[in-house]
């Protein structure tokens, strides 16, 4: 039997968090090797295990995978979270790209100067409530099922729940105008593997804070 996937990244959310979410949703146990210093990162680079000299990197099925999107699509396909045909996969991809854009805005918010944070936070809430969440609300209404694509859990559902929870950390009542998304959040959060990941003590990482930002700046020279 193959060993557990091993995740190489910093001890925070960043681009690895969606990978943690997807593995957890699939019920896959994984190990983590944290990059805590600039030297840790340099060692990986010097060992030649990072295809483009960057992380996230995941060791899985005898491969050392880099590029977040490539890792996520591999996991989604491997664990049957990527639809039943090309059309379903296309819809999953579109929905995932939307939530990726929204989560990217939140991810980079913490690395912006203090004087622009408030303005950018307002932009995140505005985009979430006028550009992104209405799309998913309509999708659930039109589809009439518990999930975004087909009638089973997919990568798109896992990613959307992660995005919802991230935006709620910025504005707790952000779903007030989206009743179907509120119900979706409750349903998907109660799927046993996801419920377990949402419990304290899991491998889910806490929201990014100033201390973590300082560590990341030091490791990556930013």
């Amino acid at each position: 039997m193959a060993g557990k996937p091993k995740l190489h990244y910093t001890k925070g959310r960043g681009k690895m968090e969606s990978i943690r979410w997807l593995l957890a949703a699939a019920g896959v146990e994984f190990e983590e090797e944290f990059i805590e210093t600039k030297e840790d990162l340099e060692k990986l680079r010097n060992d030649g295990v990072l295809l483009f000299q960057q992380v996230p990197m995941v060791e899985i099925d005898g491969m050392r995978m880099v590029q977040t999107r490539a890792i996520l699509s591999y996991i989604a396909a491997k664990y049957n979270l990527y639809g039943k045909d090309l059309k379903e996969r296309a819809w999953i991809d579109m929905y995932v790209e939307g939530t990726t854009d929204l989560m990217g805005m939140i991810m980079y918010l913490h690395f912006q100067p203090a004087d622009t944070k408030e303005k950018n936070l307002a932009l995140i809430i505005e985009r979430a409530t006028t550009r992104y969440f209405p799309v998913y609300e309509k999708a659930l209404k039109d589809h009439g099922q518990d999930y975004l694509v087909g009638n089973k859990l997919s990568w798109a559902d896992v990613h959307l729940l992660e995005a919802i929870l991230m935006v709620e950390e910025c504005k707790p009542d952000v779903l007030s105008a989206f009743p179907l998304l509120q119900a979706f959040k409750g349903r998907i959060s109660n799927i046993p593997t996801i419920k377990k990941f949402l419990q304290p003590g899991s491998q889910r990482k806490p929201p990014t804070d100033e201390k973590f930002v300082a560590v990341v700046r030091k490791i990556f020279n930013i």
Side-chain angles (χ1 to χ4, degrees), residues 68-134:
T68 311
R69 171 80 204 199
I71 296 166
L72 285 165
S73 11
Y74 182 83
I75 293 166
K78 180 178 170 74
Y79 295 105
N80 202 22
L81 294 166
Y82 212 175
K84 70 178 188 298
D85 55 31
L86 271 177
K87 280 191 176 177
E88 284 197 358
R89 186 169 288 200
W91 278 106
I92 290 167
D93 283 341
M94 285 192 280
Y95 289 144
V96 163
E97 289 299 328
T99 37
T100 299
D101 290 346
L102 179 57
M103 288 195 286
M105 292 174 73
I106 298 171
M107 208 182 296
Y108 293 117
L109 180 69
H110 304 286
F111 293 87
Q112 291 164 355
D115 58 348
T116 63
K117 271 189 186 175
E118 202 169 315
K119 181 182 166 188
N120 286 316
L121 181 58
L123 179 63
I124 288 165
I125 302 305
E126 189 264 328
R127 288 275 170 85
T129 53
T130 64
R131 179 180 292 189
Y132 295 107
F133 287 170

Side-chain angles (χ1 to χ4, degrees), residues 59-201:
E59 294 184 64
I60 185 169
D61 295 342
M63 295 185 289
R64 290 186 174 120
M65 292 195 72
V66 296
Q67 297 294 0
T68 311
R69 171 80 204 199
I71 296 166
L72 285 165
S73 11
Y74 182 83
I75 293 166
K78 180 178 170 74
Y79 295 105
N80 202 22
L81 294 166
Y82 212 175
K84 70 178 188 298
D85 55 31
L86 271 177
K87 280 191 176 177
E88 284 197 358
R89 186 169 288 200
W91 278 106
I92 290 167
D93 283 341
M94 285 192 280
Y95 289 144
V96 163
E97 289 299 328
T99 37
T100 299
D101 290 346
L102 179 57
M103 288 195 286
M105 292 174 73
I106 298 171
M107 208 182 296
Y108 293 117
L109 180 69
H110 304 286
F111 293 87
Q112 291 164 355
D115 58 348
T116 63
K117 271 189 186 175
E118 202 169 315
K119 181 182 166 188
N120 286 316
L121 181 58
L123 179 63
I124 288 165
I125 302 305
E126 189 264 328
R127 288 275 170 85
T129 53
T130 64
R131 179 180 292 189
Y132 295 107
F133 287 170
V135 169
Y136 301 108
E137 183 82 1
K138 184 176 186 299
L140 290 166
K141 184 181 179 184
D142 293 351
H143 190 39
Q145 304 286 359
D146 286 349
Y147 306 103
L148 285 171
V149 180
N151 193 23
K152 68 189 290 279
L153 182 71
S154 77
W155 174 20
D157 301 304
V158 179
H159 219 242
L160 176 56
L161 178 61
E162 183 188 0
I164 287 170
L165 297 181
M166 281 179 77
V167 181
E168 283 186 333
E169 287 169 354
C170 301
K171 189 176 192 293
D173 66 346
V174 74
L175 289 186
S176 57
F178 303 100
L180 296 181
L181 281 180
Q182 289 176 41
F184 171 89
K185 175 192 162 188
R187 278 195 308 276
I188 306 302
S189 296
N190 276 299
I191 291 168
T193 52
I194 294 174
K195 189 173 184 177
K196 184 180 175 186
F197 187 62
L198 291 172
Q199 299 303 310

